[in-house]
DNA sequence: CCGGATCCCAGCGGATACTG
DNA sequence: CAGTATCCGCTGGGATCCGG
């Protein structure tokens, strides 16, 4: 029998992506077409700039979102899901459905 | 527009369940019919008893697994997925599929 | 407007030893 | 065999201030 470790778990890549605090929420908001940095900041009441920036950078590095800068004044930055990110969305919806179904119950 | 916070994120319940270190792996092994404590310990090379016990207790508390004790000598304990846990399994498989598809690529 | 840099602290989890 | 108890190092992330 194959033994798994934390580093080759077949689902670990997804777990790593969504695990950090606020990460799933950031991803959710972007998937709901809240694409601008400021908009995200407003939607996510209480997130620190440090964390939001870290999450966006991580998601970009993972190829889940792409970062587009508009050289307006003042500057605007938008984040949109890539193909890879769009493919992840159904999983997020499945997670939401499961969460709603079993909300507060242990049955 | 509805503003989400970390505590009412629609997918947070699932995120909370699988986020902890080793958690996804423990869940995976149980879903692969490795149901005994000792078997899990062996399959998960390197996990500490502290963490394994904590994960199993948490999953039981969440209603994802049920704990069955066999009063043999020496005692045997098995953990099996509940209905709630079985409903979670498809999500784990979807996560695995996504992980395999995008393994190491950022496309 | 969009972040980067720094400081700081709670809590997660590893190692180890012990119980029923 | 199947855990619990204790100690402790390390990292994640909040608050705050600064720069382009």
């Amino acid at each position: 029998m194959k033994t798994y470790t934390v580093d080759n778990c077949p689902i670990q890549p997804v777990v790593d992506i969504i695990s950090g605090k606020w990460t799933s929420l950031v991803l959710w908001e972007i998937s709901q077409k809240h694409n601008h940095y400021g908009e995200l900041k407003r939607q996510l009441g209480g997130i620190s700039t440090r964390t939001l920036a870290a999450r966006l950078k991580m998601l970009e590095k993972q190829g889940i979102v792409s970062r587009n800068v508009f050289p307006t004044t003042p500057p605007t930055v938008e984040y949109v899901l890539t193909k890879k990110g769009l493919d992840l969305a159904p999983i997020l919806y499945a997670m939401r459905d499961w969460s709603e179904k079993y909300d507060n119950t242990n049955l």
Side-chain angles (χ1 to χ4, degrees), chain A:
Chain A
M1 266 308 175
K2 180 162 174 46
T3 73
Y4 287 115
T5 170
V6 135
D7 298 317
N8 70 350
C9 172
I11 71 175
Q12 198 68 37
V14 176
V15 173
D16 288 342
I17 289 168
I18 63 177
S19 281
K21 190 173 178 185
W22 292 101
T23 311
S24 61
L25 214 38
V26 170
L27 211 45
W28 181 261
E29 290 299 332
I30 294 178
S31 75
Q32 300 306 304
K33 308 297 178 188
H34 299 140
N35 296 13
H36 294 267
Y37 182 93
E39 195 179 1
L40 288 169
K41 186 83 168 69
R42 254 177 293 112
Q43 287 291 323
L44 305 168
I47 194 174
S48 65
T49 65
R50 180 190 194 279
T51 301
L52 180 53
R55 292 300 172 261
L56 291 170
K57 185 177 290 187
M58 184 272 264
L59 290 172
E60 190 192 2
K61 185 177 177 184
Q62 301 287 335
I64 310 292
V65 303
S66 64
R67 179 176 187 268
N68 301 324
V69 183
F70 298 92
T72 53
T73 45
T76 302
V77 182
E78 81 167 15
Y79 294 87
V80 293
L81 292 180
T82 61
K83 170 88 165 49
K84 190 175 176 181
L86 286 171
D87 269 9
L88 192 58
I91 299 181
L92 300 183
Y93 289 119
M95 291 169 63
R96 181 203 52 190
D97 293 342
W98 187 93
S99 298
E100 285 177 355
K101 179 174 180 182
Y102 289 108
D103 186 35
N104 285 331
T105 83
N106 282 3
L107 202 52

